[in-house]
């Protein structure tokens, strides 16, 4: 079981002071948060991709490459790579390069994003969102696995005798997650390729994501990748902690009430009752996170959103101390209890290399 954090990279005024960090401050803060995540023993740091204010992470591989040089162990991932509006050839090259620089500590999460205008900004039609996701990923999958590619599709110019460089590290592409908050077609896509499915269940009630994950697990087995229980699932979540739960609620409420994403909507109490958001003590975070297994089954990766809504860097780093010291060690131990032997661990480059080598020596039937 892997634990980590993801950042959407928003530049939001602190509602308690009125101060808005500069883009430079926010970018540097994301780097500090990633390094802190490794320091406190987390497994993954992930960044989103956005091309519009108030967000700053428009070039995730640039940021992750910088972080790779300043960390040693933590897996570096995207929380969204826009498979619809990025050229799959450039994705193949950028992430293979990052893979080499980070010695394999790289994942990628494909998604369509949540900003409609990004499509025309990059010359695409939002009405083709799902077909773009399907076609572009099919090409990316091929580029990482074939040295010479001939290809023709609907949405980009054909390729003839094309080789993407550099080749993936150890000839093993980065592990791919397909992220979705609403689309069964993306769950189907993840299942078809035997990739991971990440249900970013931070906004909607759990029943919605339960249906998506069940569909993914069923189709994963249908395509012959293993049993439904062996499918690779990741979940999102949001937390804010203080040692005393009343202090956590009092401190976080103005940030929640004014957050650009969910502010001015449901109350904090309504939102925490219906979504994974937990505002309280470390023990309350542990208790609520453990309920996810009851709803979704044993899964491989849990990422928390912690640096949004204008929270100052100092507060976020304090949150990470609590997460690393008092929450994750308990979650690791509790999730390990009763975990069936056939359920795989979270993906790593070393494990993918070992699996490929094991498959290579399997006797032919």
């Amino acid at each position: 079981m892997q634990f980590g954090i993801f950042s959407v990279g928003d530049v939001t005024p602190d509602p308690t002071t009125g101060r808005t960090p500069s883009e430079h401050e926010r970018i540097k803060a994301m780097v500090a948060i990633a390094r802190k995540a490794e320091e406190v023993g987390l497994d993954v740091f992930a960044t989103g991709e956005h091309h519009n204010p108030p967000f700053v992470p428009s070039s995730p591989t640039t940021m992750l490459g910088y972080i790779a040089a300043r960390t040693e162990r933590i897996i570096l991932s995207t929380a969204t790579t826009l498979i619809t509006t990025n050229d799959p050839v450039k994705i193949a090259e950028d992430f293979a390069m990052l893979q080499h620089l980070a010695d394999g500590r790289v994942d990628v999460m494909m998604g369509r994003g949540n900003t409609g205008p990004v499509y025309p900004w990059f010359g695409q039609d939002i009405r083709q969102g799902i077909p773009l996701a399907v076609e572009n990923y099919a090409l990316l999958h091929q580029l990482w696995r074939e040295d010479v590619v001939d290809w023709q599709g609907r949405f980009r110019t054909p390729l003839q005798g094309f080789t993407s460089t550099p080749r993936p590290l150890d000839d093993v592409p980065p592990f791919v997650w397909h992220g979705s908050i609403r689309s069964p077609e993306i769950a189907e896509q993840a299942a078809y390729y035997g990739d991971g499915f990440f249900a970013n269940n931070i906004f909607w009630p759990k029943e919605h994501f339960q249906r998506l994950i069940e569909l993914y697990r069923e189709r994963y087995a249908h395509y012959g990748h293993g049993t439904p229980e062996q499918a690779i699932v990741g979940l999102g979540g949001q937390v804010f902690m203080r040692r005393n739960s009343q202090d956590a609620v009092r401190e976080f409420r103005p940030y929640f009430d004014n957050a650009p994403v969910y502010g001015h909507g449901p109350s904090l109490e309504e939102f925490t009752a219906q979504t994974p958001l937990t505002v309280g003590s470390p023990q309350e975070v542990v208790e609520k996170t453990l309920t996810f297994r009851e709803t979704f089954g044993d899964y491989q990766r849990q990422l928390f959103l912690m640096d949004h809504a204008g929270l100052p860097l100092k507060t976020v780093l304090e949150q990470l101390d609590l997460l690393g010291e008092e929450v994750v060690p308990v979650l690791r131990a509790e999730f390990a209890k009763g975990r069936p032997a056939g359920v795989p661990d979270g993906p790593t480059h070393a494990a993918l290399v070992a699996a490929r080598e094991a498959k290579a020596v399997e006797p032919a039937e």
Side-chain angles (χ1 to χ4, degrees), residues 40 48 106 123 160 164 170 197 200 231 239 259 264 275 289 292 331 348:
V40 301
V106 174
Q160 296 180 347
S164 173
D170 301 318
F197 180 66
N200 195 10
V239 299
H264 311 289
T275 77
T289 305
F292 297 171
L331 289 176
T348 65

Side-chain angles (χ1 to χ4, degrees), residues 88-89 92 135-153 156-165 167-168:
V89 172
E135 180 178 295
N136 283 354
Y137 183 64
L139 174 55
L140 175 62
H141 191 270
Q142 186 177 353
L143 288 167
W144 273 338
R145 288 165 176 80
E146 298 179 16
D147 289 341
V148 181
V149 172
D150 294 304
W151 179 88
Q152 185 168 349
R156 76 172 319 280
T157 52
L159 297 173
Q160 296 180 347
F162 179 77
T163 298
S164 173
T165 60
R167 304 305 298 148

Side-chain angles (χ1 to χ4, degrees), residues 272-289:
T272 54
Q274 296 184 46
T275 77
L277 175 64
T278 310
V279 181
S281 67
Q283 181 60 34
E284 287 174 302
V285 172
V286 167
E287 290 172 358
K288 187 164 184 177
T289 305

